[in-house]
Amino acid sequence: MVSSHSRHMPVLSGSSGRELAIALAEILEMEFVLIESRKFPDGEGYVRVPSESFGVIRSEPVILVSNTFPDSGIMRTILMLEAINDIRKGDLENLKNEGEQVMDNVGPGIFLAVPYYGYARQDKRFSPGETVSARVISEILGRSCDGMVILDLHEPKVLDGSDLEIGFVSSMPEIADVLQKEVGPDFILSPDKGAIDRASEVAKIGGWEFSYLEKTRIDAHTIEHQAKDLDVNGKVVAIVDDMISTGGTICRASDALRRQGAKAVFAACTHGLFTGGALSRLANHVDGVYTTDSLRNPRSVVSSAPALARGIKEMIG
Ligand code: R5P
């Protein structure tokens, strides 16, 4: 644990995580630093930490906000962490001979805040010959940071036994809040067993009824829900999940709810991936969709900064 920090402690991000990192810096009363990030014509990434911020990066623990999604985001995260590491190690030698070339190593103190942790769903070796991708990502990132805070990771157990200090945080309190203000649900549904903990937390916060469905995934695009009697006749229901990708899970759950008389059905999740026309598919099945800003999307109305701030405070004191 790092002892007390000052207001100058930097929260860094590349351009894609900028708004969220600014919001996080405000909550934590820290200083935001933008890392220059762009792509070469062939698609390879480039990052550069501004030299004006070297002082603060070397004198305070550092928080980097970055997603491991899409694949270019993984690479950008690694490059930003390594650039910060070089600065803290004092390894500043450069061809232009700008600034001081070598300085003292100021030691550990780099913390990564991950709003959306890509590859989370390959959390088991389902068939021989596969790798557990979710663990691979943390092993790679763990080489260049001293702690990591992850927002609503699909299955936190996958990182059990990691050498890296990892804090798991959730936006469910903020999701409960937006549902309370904008939907006023009677009933919260978890669309599968995996989301029970998260969805029931929302139900508990709002004092709403709760149940779950059992889902079988046939393939990435097809899922089946086992029939179950739900007491939803005439009720407003919100389906709560960690993420929405194709929207298949939510659409099938919504069909089950409507067959049983639900008056209105809403969906809420932390990570809105919305792949392959998911939003238009969802528009035919639910009355509204709410997500956090862990990923940029047209339905991100909930800030994930408060949840990440809780995790950072817990980790660095
Ligand atoms: C998986 O168990 C997750 O919690 C989500 O339910 C799932 O990833 C959503 O995917 P889709 O929107 O493609 O059904």
Side-chain angles (χ1 to χ4, degrees), residues 62-75:
V62 172
I63 296 156
L64 174 69
V65 180
S66 193
N67 279 345
T68 58
F69 182 86
D71 285 5
S72 56
I74 300 174
M75 205 52 225

Side-chain angles (χ1 to χ4, degrees), residues 121 154 191-192 194-195 198 215 217 220-221 223 241-250 273 275 278:
R121 282 171 294 176
H154 181 62
D192 55 32
R198 275 184 261 263
K215 171 176 98 175
R217 184 169 282 284
H221 297 275
I223 59 128
D241 208 346
D242 60 334
M243 68 176 81
I244 301 176
S245 177
T246 65
T249 300
I250 297 289
L273 282 159
T275 52

Side-chain angles (χ1 to χ4, degrees), residues 27-41:
I27 296 175
L28 295 171
E29 300 187 325
M30 293 175 187
E31 184 180 314
F32 170 69
V33 174
L34 179 67
I35 299 181
E36 180 188 345
S37 59
R38 53 187 161 84
K39 277 189 179 171
F40 288 107

Side-chain angles (χ1 to χ4, degrees), residues 145-162:
C145 66
D146 305 298
M148 180 157 65
V149 170
I150 309 176
L151 179 66
D152 280 312
L153 180 66
H154 181 62
E155 177 47 89
K157 275 200 200 84
V158 68
L159 300 185
D160 275 359
S162 168

Side-chain angles (χ1 to χ4, degrees), residues 126-143:
F126 299 94
S127 303
E130 294 176 354
T131 190
V132 182
S133 313
R135 207 175 295 144
V136 174
I137 299 288
S138 82
E139 281 163 8
I140 293 170
L141 299 176
R143 282 180 221 146

